[in-house]
């Protein structure tokens, strides 16, 4: 069974990633409380339904205090020899801030409307999860189709994923600076 845990910063594209995972054949559950993850894993594992052999769940800071139980849930999965992968979505602070301004939604931690402080607090709280992640995608400059291509590379093509990219650009000053 493939079990993917999608998490990361609010505004980094977790909802889009979940839709993409659903499109490539994963059974998806959004905003699952971490306490329920081991139970949900065992239900999927015991199920004879072929749709539950590829599962992706999204868990994030929206759960509030409940999110703190994520490490306990991951440790419980590990102790039961359950295999899972963590896909962590990240983006630069200014990009997330711009996305929140465009959508007019409130950041889950922005109680007084200070989105920049909420992003900073969320980044601190998610730092340990980011370290445990198997895949880290920075969506700062990605279009949805580019996010789909990256997710396809990782989960469909099963290519070895690296977080390091090199861009080589050839140009001539005759046509201006690129």
């Amino acid at each position: 069974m493939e079990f993917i845990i999608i998490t990361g910063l609010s505004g980094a594209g977790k909802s889009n990633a979940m839709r993409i995972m659903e499109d490539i054949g994963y059974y998806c559950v959004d905003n699952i409380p971490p306490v329920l993850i081991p139970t949900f894993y065992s239900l999927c594992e015991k199920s004879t339904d072929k749709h539950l052999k590829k599962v992706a769940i999204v868990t994030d800071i929206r759960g509030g205090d409940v999110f703190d139980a994520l490490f306990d849930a991951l440790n419980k999965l590990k102790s039961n020899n359950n295999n899972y992968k963590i896909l962590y979505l990240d983006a630069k602070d200014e990009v997330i801030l711009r996305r929140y301004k465009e959508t007019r939604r409130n950041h889950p931690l922005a109680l007084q409307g200070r989105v920049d402080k909420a992003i900073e607090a969320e980044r601190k709280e998610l730092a340990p999860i980011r370290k445990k992640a198997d895949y880290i995608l920075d969506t700062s400059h990605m279009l949805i189709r580019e996010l789909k291509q990256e997710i396809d590379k990782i989960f469909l093509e099963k290519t070895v994923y690296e977080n390091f990219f090199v861009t080589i650009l050839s140009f001539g000053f005759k046509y201006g600076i690129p």
Side-chain angles (χ1 to χ4, degrees):
M1 177 175 78
E2 286 186 63
F3 196 81
I4 311 300
I5 299 170
I6 302 170
T7 192
L9 291 174
S10 300
K14 294 183 303 292
S15 296
N16 289 323
M18 185 184 68
R19 281 188 223 104
I20 293 166
M21 296 296 280
E22 199 168 33
D23 289 346
I24 62 175
Y26 282 79
Y27 180 82
C28 296
V29 178
D30 190 15
N31 204 14
I32 188 168
V35 176
L36 298 178
I37 293 173
T39 306
F40 184 66
Y41 186 100
S42 64
L43 288 172
C44 293
E45 194 173 44
K46 292 174 186 172
S47 174
T48 57
D49 187 358
K50 64 179 173 133
H51 295 101
L52 294 177
K53 296 305 170 197
K54 290 171 65 175
V55 177
I57 63 168
V58 176
T59 187
D60 58 22
I61 209 79
R62 288 177 286 176
D65 293 337
V66 177
F67 185 72
D68 295 337
L70 182 58
F71 271 115
D72 294 336
L74 295 178
N75 290 335
K76 192 170 184 182
L77 286 175
K78 211 41 118 201
S79 68
N80 292 335
N81 293 325
N82 300 131
N83 293 324
Y84 63 88
K85 299 283 185 194
I86 298 175
L87 172 62
Y88 186 91
L89 298 178
D90 200 353
K92 294 179 180 166
D93 291 354
E94 59 271 7
V95 173
I96 293 175
L97 192 61
R98 180 178 42 85
R99 289 176 184 172
Y100 271 102
K101 285 180 182 177
E102 289 172 355
T103 61
R104 294 186 181 179
R105 290 179 52 216
N106 291 330
H107 189 283
L109 298 180
L111 301 176
Q112 307 301 340
R114 292 291 312 251
V115 178
D116 57 338
K117 298 294 181 193
I119 293 169
E120 185 180 313
E122 183 181 23
R123 195 174 289 283
K124 278 183 192 172
E125 193 165 334
L126 292 177
I129 302 296
R130 189 179 197 279
K131 288 179 185 172
K132 287 188 121 194
D134 298 288
Y135 310 104
I136 300 172
L137 290 178
D138 186 343
T139 63
S140 297
H141 303 291
M142 280 188 190
L143 300 172
I144 293 176
R145 66 179 149 85
E146 293 169 331
L147 178 62
K148 181 181 179 357
Q149 289 172 346
E150 292 301 316
I151 289 175
D152 285 353
K153 278 185 206 172
I154 296 169
F155 297 109
L156 276 182
E157 299 168 15
K158 306 285 189 212
T159 58
V160 176
Y161 185 77
E162 297 292 333
N163 285 330
F164 183 71
F165 292 99
V166 176
T167 302
I168 299 173
L169 177 65
S170 175
F171 68 95
F173 284 109
K174 176 181 175 182
Y175 303 106
I177 298 173

